[in-house]
Amino acid sequence: MPFFKSLPENAGPPNVFKQYPDIYGPWSETSEAMMNGPSPLSQGERELLQAYAAGISGCAFVYTGHSEVAYAWGIARGTLEKLMADIETAPVDDRLKPIFAYVRKLVTAPRDLTQADADAVFDAGWAEKALHDAVVITARVAFMQRLVDGFGFAPLDPAVAASHAKKRVERGYVNVYSTFRKQK
């Protein structure tokens, strides 16, 4: 049950977003650029990073929702759980492993990040844009975690999350919300 009595029992971010379009319209556009704009990381990889960061930080709402989006982009089910257990043995491209290690440290011990952590990403063949994208995706998770926890939103049922994920893949981060949908 949300903490705000004006919100319905099954409320989630869209309920807040449509009440404050001046704040969340630009946020949705920023999210669209982060998650679907040009990047050396695929959309599925970015969603996997987002779900991973949410899992590491303990945000069940974002973890459930965005793991389903990663799966909708073609990431194999079970990959996220294997990443959460052990990056080194997880079934992801070896080039991605230093990025996941960086994200883990950014979530759990950000002040302990060093040049060596960034260099591990660069040594794996990634340009600065890939690390930039991983950092801002992790920051997006922190924002969304504070939002969903602050409003008291319950995590989505996985079947409902899968339905929402399909719409997110089809429509993106702006057009998924009717309040912000671009008119064609």
Side-chain angles (χ1 to χ4, degrees), residues 79-99:
T79 301
L80 187 53
E81 292 78 7
K82 291 174 183 170
L83 272 167
M84 296 290 291
D86 183 13
I87 294 169
E88 288 309 311
T89 61
V92 296
D93 185 325
D94 285 343
R95 288 184 66 221
L96 287 169
K97 292 177 181 182
I99 293 176

Side-chain angles (χ1 to χ4, degrees), residues 22-153:
D22 54 327
I23 295 170
Y24 298 107
W27 174 249
S28 294
E29 290 188 22
T30 298
S31 296
E32 176 68 22
M34 277 185 223
M35 303 308 293
N36 292 325
S39 176
L41 299 165
S42 73
Q43 290 155 307
E45 290 166 342
R46 285 179 269 175
E47 291 291 347
L48 187 63
L49 279 166
Q50 183 163 260
Y52 177 76
I56 295 302
S57 67
C59 184
F61 190 103
V62 175
Y63 178 84
T64 300
H66 290 279
S67 62
E68 290 298 331
V69 181
Y71 303 147
W73 278 115
I75 301 296
R77 287 196 178 273
T79 301
L80 187 53
E81 292 78 7
K82 291 174 183 170
L83 272 167
M84 296 290 291
D86 183 13
I87 294 169
E88 288 309 311
T89 61
V92 296
D93 185 325
D94 285 343
R95 288 184 66 221
L96 287 169
K97 292 177 181 182
I99 293 176
F100 282 100
Y102 195 96
V103 166
R104 177 179 277 280
K105 198 168 188 181
L106 181 57
V107 170
T108 62
R111 290 199 169 112
D112 293 343
L113 282 167
T114 67
Q115 186 65 52
D117 298 307
D119 288 344
V121 173
F122 304 140
D123 291 347
W126 295 103
E128 288 183 3
K129 173 71 168 130
L131 186 54
H132 166 272
D133 293 354
V135 168
V136 298
I137 289 165
T138 305
R140 183 182 190 283
V141 169
F143 176 89
M144 290 304 297
Q145 180 175 11
R146 288 349 177 251
L147 187 128
V148 299
D149 288 348
F151 282 95
F153 298 148

